[in-house]
Amino acid sequence: MDQDTIAAIGTGLCESGIGIVRVSGGEAVEIVDRIFFDKRGRSVLSGKQTHTIHHGWIRTGEGEILDEVLVMLMRGPRTFTGEDTVEINCHGGVLVLKKVLERVLEAGARLAEPGEFTKRAFLNGKMDLARAEAVMDVIASESDYALRSSLDQMNGSLSGRVKEIRADILRETARIEAALDDPEHMSLDGYGDILQGKIEDILKDLNGLIATADEGRLIREGILTVILGRPNAGKSSLMNLLAGQERAIVTQVPGTTRDVLEEKIRLRDISLRVMDTAGIRTAGDEVEKIGVEKAKKCASEADLILYVVDSSLPLGKEDEEIWSLISGKKGIILFNKSDLPQALSPCELSRRMESFCPGEHFPLIVTSAREKKGLEELSETVEAMFFSGGLSRGREPVITNLRHKEALCQARDSMLLVKESVGRNMPEDFYSIDLMDACACLGRITGEEAGEDLIREIFSRFCMGK
Ligand code: GDP
């Protein structure tokens, strides 16, 4: 492994109260000692106990003060990377941080690559691959659900599960190998039946994890939500109300005739990616057609459709067009403008929709964008619809990472091959190959069987200083 001492700014590059320059490696303490001095101008760190904090000044080569800082001295292996680590708590100005980092580099450290601190933690056995990846997910979390599931994984919930399943498979492989090596003392008579039972258990475990991946995508990316409704029903008003103070990043998603606007909205613990299908409101034959096409495309890809109805007006022809888009999807009716005299009743609307989409049921929430009414109920309904039991359910980790899902699916495929071989009474060495493949797939999740390329690829996606 690379034994250089590395350094990077560990906090965001924006003005803030404090900022941290992180230094890790065999020479971390000596390097910082060359540039960090107490009020009498003496070096401070060498010989000091681990996990202690020291006050002083970072100085230039000419002895000028760069910043007044607090330095955290942590000697390995009881550190994040497992190596000696020094963290310099500077003032949080961008220029100050850059200058202190430059000074650390002048004193002998090398600039860290993205993710290199975490990569070292992994290579030094401080955490397995899935837990290291979860560190990144914790940083990127945009909703409470995402944060909770990433923290769970960082603490080893997924790794623990995967290791258990892998150990079950390894146990069977070892038994077969041992019997094949020493047929006089170990018999595999009747083992096929036992193995069938074990395979079923393992498949059940794998399928259980894979099944959480859909939920995982919603947690990671947010629920793709499309707001549909007739012109003036109150779509924009509701969208603004939803966005409230949490109004976040507005991104342009190219792809359709006119760009569709996507907005990230946080609804309590959940994040929604709301697509604004502005086109559907434009009148005029050709344009309207484009709008409807666009809305149809968005609706077909959506996880959730919010159908906004102006309850002060009777239903119109366009509503049926919208019902055909909701049909077969998860949808919620927002019965809007409830503050006005009503031309429609919730019962009538539900009845008409249910006869249009037989067998389907869409929850209806009475809202008033003007009076800010109905949002709480909407949050509860979305949560119940998508995360029925909440994330703490059964302590089963939720698969939020596509790489993990693919590895689990491959492990399942290998186990299905084993099942087939056993069912067809094939010789034992046949299934031991597929059992080993399944093990290898699971080992790629936790890192026991991850090649150098995969490891490099994973850590290169990390941010600087992590
Ligand atoms: P959109 O075309 O569906 O996006 O509808 P808008 O959000 O632009 O709203 C159309 C009009 O209805 C605006 O004048 C809004 O102020 C009004 N509006 C929206 N929601 C409500 C509501 O709940 N009550 C009342 N009284 N007016 C509303």
Side-chain angles (χ1 to χ4, degrees):
M1 196 186 59
D2 204 343
Q3 288 305 317
D4 292 350
T5 293
I6 52 172
I9 297 170
T11 43
L13 274 183
C14 56
E15 267 180 38
S16 53
I18 57 163
I20 297 175
V21 173
R22 201 174 195 194
V23 191
S24 175
E27 281 190 77
V29 181
E30 289 80 350
I31 287 172
V32 177
D33 232 4
R34 286 177 201 139
I35 60 171
F36 171 63
F37 305 95
D38 66 10
K39 61 181 173 219
R40 297 205 185 88
R42 292 177 312 198
S43 295
V44 176
L45 300 182
S46 79
K48 287 286 185 321
Q49 281 208 336
T50 185
H51 290 78
T52 47
I53 298 176
H54 307 273
H55 170 254
W57 288 263
I58 301 288
R59 290 181 182 270
T60 64
E62 289 72 44
E64 272 176 52
I65 289 175
L66 270 184
D67 196 11
E68 182 177 356
V69 298
L70 280 180
V71 164
M72 271 192 254
L73 169 69
M74 295 168 283
R75 297 185 198 275
R78 218 154 46 83
T79 60
F80 177 75
T81 56
E83 305 169 332
D84 284 357
T85 301
V86 179
E87 290 187 2
I88 310 173
N89 283 247
C90 311
H91 288 94
V94 177
L95 187 62
V96 171
L97 279 170
K98 284 189 171 161
K99 285 199 174 279
V100 171
L101 174 63
E102 267 169 30
R103 192 70 191 104
V104 173
L105 300 181
E106 275 170 21
R110 161 173 74 69
L111 185 64
E113 290 163 16
E116 200 172 356
F117 292 94
T118 318
K119 183 176 173 183
R120 288 186 172 199
F122 165 67
L123 293 174
N124 288 330
K126 300 294 285 187
M127 58 177 73
D128 64 46
L129 201 52
R131 291 174 71 173
E133 285 174 290
V135 172
M136 203 56 222
D137 294 339
V138 168
I139 295 170
S141 293
E142 287 184 347
S143 69
D144 286 9
Y145 270 106
L147 181 59
R148 246 180 286 154
S149 87
S150 314
L151 283 171
D152 261 5
Q153 293 195 14
M154 195 175 78
N155 289 325
S157 65
L158 173 66
S159 306
R161 242 2 236 111
V162 168
K163 281 179 182 162
E164 274 167 23
I165 301 174
R166 190 163 176 268
D168 287 345
I169 301 175
L170 274 176
R171 208 171 301 119
E172 300 314 312
T173 319
R175 182 165 172 181
I176 297 171
E177 297 287 326
L180 291 176
D181 282 349
D182 187 8
E184 282 177 24
H185 294 99
M186 278 191 73
S187 156
L188 285 173
D189 284 349
Y191 175 62
D193 289 340
I194 300 173
L195 186 58
Q196 277 297 20
K198 303 252 182 211
I199 294 170
E200 290 303 338
D201 290 345
I202 291 166
L203 279 171
K204 203 166 133 232
D205 289 345
L206 290 173
N207 282 328
L209 280 177
I210 292 166
T212 65
D214 280 342
E215 189 176 314
R217 180 183 64 80
L218 299 177
I219 291 173
R220 190 182 62 245
E221 296 172 4
I223 299 169
L224 189 58
T225 308
V226 171
I227 303 188
L228 296 180
R230 277 161 51 193
N232 275 323
K235 298 183 291 297
S236 308
S237 311
L238 280 166
M239 171 101 168
N240 285 340
L241 195 58
L242 283 174
Q245 295 306 310
E246 301 278 0
R247 189 176 219 117
I249 324 137
V250 176
T251 47
Q252 300 267 339
V253 181
T256 40
T257 344
R258 249 175 38 196
D259 287 352
V260 174
L261 277 187
E262 181 185 323
E263 178 137 21
K264 270 214 165 150
I265 286 174
R266 241 185 66 187
L267 206 57
R268 286 220 297 218
D269 284 354
I270 306 166
S271 88
L272 302 184
R273 286 161 58 205
V274 183
M275 312 289 279
D276 189 5
T277 59
I280 201 169
R281 348 180 192 172
T282 326
D285 276 355
E286 197 49 33
V287 187
E288 188 172 314
K289 224 172 86 195
I290 294 171
V292 170
E293 282 311 309
K294 196 198 302 185
K296 272 188 183 158
K297 185 169 182 295
C298 286
S300 68
E301 291 165 0
D303 300 311
L304 171 66
I305 293 175
L306 296 179
Y307 164 39
V308 182
V309 184
D310 181 345
S311 60
S312 71
L313 295 174
L315 291 170
K317 221 166 73 43
E318 303 97 318
D319 286 295
E320 289 199 354
E321 177 89 49
I322 295 168
W323 300 347
S324 66
L325 297 181
I326 298 193
S327 179
K329 312 275 309 180
K330 281 186 173 159
I332 298 175
I333 307 165
L334 301 181
F335 199 75
N336 195 36
K337 303 201 187 179
S338 58
D339 54 294
L340 295 179
Q342 303 286 281
L344 191 64
S345 79
C347 286
E348 183 191 347
L349 176 60
S350 292
R351 191 180 45 74
R352 291 269 309 267
M353 275 188 79
E354 275 162 28
S355 69
F356 189 89
C357 322
E360 295 187 58
H361 171 72
F362 304 99
L364 181 147
I365 296 168
V366 176
T367 64
S368 161
R370 176 156 299 170
E371 295 183 347
K372 302 186 176 21
K373 196 179 131 197
L375 278 195
E376 244 335 90
E377 207 184 331
L378 175 62
S379 310
E380 280 164 18
T381 309
V382 173
E383 193 166 298
M385 220 171 203
F386 287 90
F387 306 105
S388 40
L391 270 183
S392 54
R393 152 187 56 93
R395 304 246 28 95
E396 181 79 304
V398 177
I399 303 298
T400 47
N401 181 314
L402 263 189
R403 188 183 81 77
H404 299 165
K405 182 186 174 188
E406 278 162 18
L408 287 166
C409 289
Q410 285 162 1
R412 176 179 59 187
D413 291 347
S414 298
M415 290 308 296
L416 287 171
L417 289 176
V418 182
K419 184 176 166 178
E420 196 184 313
S421 309
V422 177
R424 287 164 51 192
N425 272 328
M426 307 282 273
E428 281 81 7
D429 42 355
F430 259 80
Y431 27 97
S432 97
I433 294 173
D434 292 320
L435 284 170
M436 288 310 287
D437 277 349
C439 267
C441 296
L442 298 179
R444 282 205 296 277
I445 297 179
T446 46
E448 279 110 332
E449 300 206 30
E452 229 175 89
D453 285 351
L454 176 63
I455 291 170
R456 193 174 317 120
E457 213 260 323
I458 287 172
F459 286 103
S460 68
R461 281 186 255 129
F462 275 51
C463 55
M464 229 20 211
K466 193 58 227 175

